[in-house]
Amino acid sequence: MAKTNAKNWLRAKGSASGSKVTFLELFFDLVFVFSISQLSHALAAHYTPLGAAEAALMTFAVWWVWIFTAWVTNWLDPDKMPVRGMLVALMMLGLLLSASIPEAFGDKGLLFAGAYVAMQVGRSLFTTYAMTRVDRANTLNFIRITTWLVAAGVFWIAGGLLEHEARLIAWVIALAIEYIGPAAGFAVPGLGRSRPSDWDVSGAHMAERCALFVIICLGEAILVSGRTFSELPFSALTGIVFVTAFIGTVAMWWLYFRFGHGRAAHRIEHEETPGSLARQAFTYGHIPILAGIIVHAVAVEFMFSHPHETGDLGIAAAVLGGSGLFLIGNLWFKGATSGQLPLSHLAGLVLLILLAFAAPFIEIYLLGILATLVLIVVAAWEYRSLSGTSAAPSLH
C-alpha cells in the first residue's frame, strides 16, 4: 500500500496530463511576481557596486529555489493532495522570502536565510519520500541533492547570523555549493553521483514552466514602466521613454518566444538524455535571461528619473547591461537547444559593446532608444534568417 500511495504522487509520464502545467503551479508562480518586483526595487534603491552584488546574489537564490521546484513538479503531480500541500507550504515560505528581500542584508537576514533553507531542504526531503520504493534512481538522486542543500544551508543560516560583508561571503559560499551541485552530479561519498540518464524529464513541461517564468519577469518590466509613467507629469519626453520601454520589452518577448521556446521544447522532448539538456538550457541558461529583464526594469526607472544624464557610467551600464545580459542568455539557451550560436545575437552584443564606448557622451534616454533599436535589429535579423525554415515553430 505504501508503494501504491507513493506512486500516486507521481505524474503519469507519456500522457497528455504528464506534461501539463497545472493551475496550482501558476498560482505558485504568483509569489515570484512579488520576488521579481522586490529584486528590481532593491537594485534601483541601492544602485552601488555592493548593492548590485547583493541584488545579484538574491536573484541567483530566487531563481534557484524556483527552478528546483520546477524540476520537482516535473515528476510530482500537483493535482495530488500531498503534493498540493507541499506547494502551498512552499508558497508561504516564498512569501516570507520575498518580503525579506529589501532587508536581507539588514535586520531580516536570518528570515531570508531560514525561509530559503526551509524551501530547499523541505522540498527535497518531501520528494525523496515520494520517490521511495517507486523510483530508486531518483530516490538516490534526491538523497544526494538533500545532502548538498543541507551543506549549503549551514552557510545560509550562518550568514543570517553574521553581519555586513561576512554575511555576503557566507551566502556566496552557500550559493557556490548549490550551483556546483548539478554540474558535479551531486556527488556524495558512498552514494556516487547522478548520471544524465537518470534525469528523465518532460521537456514540454520544463520548457513551458521556464517560459511562464520569463513572462512573469517581462510583466514586471511592463509594470515598472506603467507605474512610473502614471506617477510623472505627462510630457513628450516621458511619452518617448514610455514607448521605448514598452517596445524594448516586446522585443525581448519576441526574441525569446518566436524561435527560442518552441524549438527548445521540441528538441528536449526528443533528446536521448533530456536531463542533461534541461540542466544546460534551462537550469543555467536562463539565469542571464532573468538577470537581463530585471536590469532592464531598473534601467527603465533610470530613464524616467534621469533622462538627460550623461557621463554616469553606472546608469549607462544598466541601460546597456539589461539588453546585453538578455542577449547572452538567449545565446546560451538557443545555442544549447539548436547546436549553433545565432549570429544575430552575437552581432547585437558587438553593437552594445560599441555603444558602451559612446555611452559617456549620450543622454540616458537616447542610450535607451539605441539599446532598444539593437534588440529590434537582432529580432528582425533572426526572423529574416529563420522564418519559413523548419527551425521556426508556430507562434503561440
Side-chain angles (χ1 to χ4, degrees), residues 66-67 70-71 74 201-211 268 278 282:
W66 183 89
I67 192 63
W71 275 88
N74 199 277
V201 298
S202 167
H205 178 268
M206 184 65 70
E208 187 173 357
R209 292 296 289 126
C210 289
I268 193 173
F282 296 107

Side-chain angles (χ1 to χ4, degrees), residues 60 63-64 66-68 70-71 178-179 181-183 186 199 201 206 210 268 274-288 290 332-333:
F60 282 122
W63 168 253
W64 214 235
W66 183 89
I67 192 63
F68 266 48
W71 275 88
E178 294 197 20
Y179 270 75
F186 297 105
W199 298 93
V201 298
M206 184 65 70
C210 289
I268 193 173
S276 180
L277 181 60
R279 184 185 68 192
Q280 174 76 359
F282 296 107
T283 301
Y284 291 120
H286 273 61
I287 297 169
L290 165 64
W332 187 347
F333 172 52

Side-chain angles (χ1 to χ4, degrees), residues 133-345:
R133 290 184 292 176
V134 176
D135 186 338
R136 175 168 173 75
N138 271 322
T139 299
L140 289 175
N141 278 339
F142 280 97
I143 291 174
R144 298 183 192 105
I145 291 170
T146 304
T147 302
W148 279 71
L149 293 178
V150 168
V154 172
F155 289 94
W156 281 112
I157 299 301
L161 296 171
L162 298 171
E163 296 183 357
H164 308 303
E165 288 80 5
R167 177 175 297 173
L168 179 61
I169 293 171
W171 284 359
V172 167
I173 294 172
L175 266 184
I177 292 171
E178 294 197 20
Y179 270 75
I180 291 170
F186 297 105
V188 174
L191 294 177
R193 56 181 294 160
S194 301
R195 297 170 301 174
S197 58
D198 293 334
W199 298 93
D200 181 22
V201 298
S202 167
H205 178 268
M206 184 65 70
E208 187 173 357
R209 292 296 289 126
C210 289
L212 291 170
F213 198 84
V214 171
I215 287 290
I216 287 174
C217 299
L218 291 173
E220 169 59 17
I222 293 288
L223 289 174
V224 166
S225 58
R227 182 184 62 249
T228 309
F229 180 69
S230 69
E231 294 172 351
L232 294 173
F234 178 75
S235 67
L237 182 58
T238 57
I240 290 171
V241 171
F242 176 74
V243 171
T244 300
F246 177 74
I247 293 175
T249 306
V250 171
M252 287 180 167
W253 172 86
W254 180 272
L255 282 167
Y256 181 86
F257 285 95
R258 183 61 180 91
F259 291 110
H261 166 256
R263 182 172 54 193
H266 176 81
R267 168 73 185 279
I268 193 173
E269 197 68 19
H270 296 83
E271 185 75 8
E272 290 186 6
T273 55
S276 180
L277 181 60
R279 184 185 68 192
Q280 174 76 359
F282 296 107
T283 301
Y284 291 120
H286 273 61
I287 297 169
I289 294 175
L290 165 64
I293 299 173
I294 291 175
V295 174
H296 169 70
V298 173
V300 169
E301 290 196 44
F302 290 155
M303 287 165 61
F304 275 114
S305 59
H306 306 283
H308 296 296
E309 188 81 35
T310 57
D312 192 320
L313 297 182
I315 294 179
V319 174
L320 297 178
S323 299
L325 284 168
F326 187 80
L327 286 179
I328 289 171
N330 274 273
L331 193 69
W332 187 347
F333 172 52
K334 293 175 182 179
T337 54
S338 69
Q340 57 185 10
L341 298 177
L343 182 59
S344 57
H345 292 49

Side-chain angles (χ1 to χ4, degrees), residues 333-391:
F333 172 52
K334 293 175 182 179
T337 54
S338 69
Q340 57 185 10
L341 298 177
L343 182 59
S344 57
H345 292 49
L346 291 171
L349 289 171
V350 171
L351 289 175
L352 289 173
I353 292 172
L354 293 176
L355 280 177
F357 288 102
F361 314 103
I362 303 176
E363 294 184 352
I364 290 301
Y365 86 96
L366 290 175
L367 192 63
I369 292 174
L370 292 173
T372 298
L373 285 175
V374 169
L375 292 179
I376 293 172
V377 168
V378 173
W381 183 340
E382 184 177 44
Y383 178 77
R384 183 176 178 83
S385 62
L386 294 181
S387 184
T389 70
S390 58

